[in-house]
Amino acid sequence: MKLSADELELFGKLYGGLMQFGLGKKADTVREQRDEEALIAARDSMFQNPRRITTFVKKNPFDFSPEELEIVSSWKQARLGLFYIARNLKDYTLFVESTEKYEPSGDIFGVVALDKPFTKIVQTPLPVLVRTLLLPFEGKIIYDGAMSFYQVDLGDDVRQMLDGICEYQIRRSGIIPSLEGGKTARKRKKNNKK
């Protein structure tokens, strides 16, 4: 699943404005040079200090509507870090949060792609380890469009472990399909057994 054209346009407008604010005077240089490292550094700085999002909302430098500012404000609930992309499902792709020591933490997020499905973005067999930002958006979880892939062969043992974690967590506490409202709403996968 991916965002609709209207959702993608809205996300681009809001996220682009926030990143331009975060970059300040460097925004034009970064855009001209297409400096992804500088953009990722600005993103990380912005989302490691959610007060900067509050400042952006208060200043409203791009005259966003109250509804648009509410979306940006919800991004204080974002999750920045390491994730295993574990499985592609019909409605979303499962991202398993990881510690900095590459150990799965147990939280499983149902993430919707932006403009290209994850099956087109990830060209290797799952799972893969990435560093990215997960954001609440219109009742879904999306990523910000930037992913750093860790070039490691996870091997069959890690694949089996992640499969086990996914199955266990889905039964135990469910998939997290939304980050909005400061709560992580979980959705249990229906058990097809009678």
Side-chain angles (χ1 to χ4, degrees):
M1 182 178 201
K2 61 181 186 171
L3 294 182
S4 70
D6 289 343
E7 289 172 325
L8 186 61
E9 183 179 344
L10 176 60
F11 173 69
K13 171 186 172 182
L14 302 180
Y15 191 74
L18 181 64
M19 287 300 95
Q20 188 171 341
F21 177 79
L23 285 164
K25 294 177 183 178
K26 295 188 287 185
D28 290 335
T29 305
V30 168
R31 193 172 25 252
E32 287 168 15
Q33 295 177 353
R34 296 191 171 161
D35 188 348
E36 191 164 329
E37 286 182 21
L39 189 58
I40 288 173
R43 171 199 74 186
D44 290 359
S45 175
M46 177 69 68
F47 286 92
Q48 288 168 346
N49 184 358
R51 287 180 290 180
R52 295 185 70 200
I53 296 172
T54 301
T55 301
F56 175 87
V57 169
K58 283 181 182 172
K59 289 186 175 183
N60 194 10
F62 298 98
D63 292 323
F64 290 163
S65 71
E67 294 81 13
E68 291 169 336
L69 289 175
E70 190 174 325
I71 292 170
V72 174
S73 187
S74 78
W75 292 346
K76 290 184 273 188
Q77 307 302 320
R79 302 289 278 263
L80 174 66
L82 293 175
F83 300 89
Y84 287 97
I85 301 177
R87 286 187 194 167
N88 290 307
L89 302 177
K90 178 184 169 196
D91 294 334
Y92 36 66
T93 295
L94 299 185
F95 279 56
V96 179
E97 195 166 35
S98 172
T99 68
E100 292 297 324
K101 293 182 178 180
Y102 313 120
E103 297 167 350
S105 71
D107 282 339
I108 302 174
F109 301 94
V111 181
V112 174
L114 298 180
D115 59 340
K116 286 197 300 192
F118 288 113
T119 54
K120 302 270 191 218
I121 297 168
V122 180
Q123 299 292 313
T124 60
L126 298 181
V128 296
L129 182 63
V130 300
R131 180 173 174 76
T132 194
L133 174 72
L134 302 185
L135 296 161
F137 184 73
E138 304 275 274
K140 304 173 189 73
I141 300 174
I142 61 172
Y143 82 113
D144 73 328
M147 254 187 230
S148 301
F149 287 84
Y150 285 67
Q151 301 298 321
V152 292
D153 180 12
L154 299 176
D156 289 337
D157 289 344
V158 173
R159 284 182 184 82
Q160 289 174 357
M161 177 189 66
L162 282 170
D163 279 345
I165 288 170
C166 286
E167 289 300 322
Y168 176 75
Q169 283 299 108
I170 288 168
R171 281 195 312 273
R172 183 176 151 255
S173 56
I175 297 166
I176 301 169
S178 175
L179 297 172
E180 293 176 297
K183 297 177 183 175
T184 52
R186 294 181 186 267
K187 179 172 149 185
R188 293 186 193 276
K189 185 178 174 184
K190 290 184 181 177
N191 188 346
N192 292 330
K193 295 179 182 177
K194 292 184 178 184

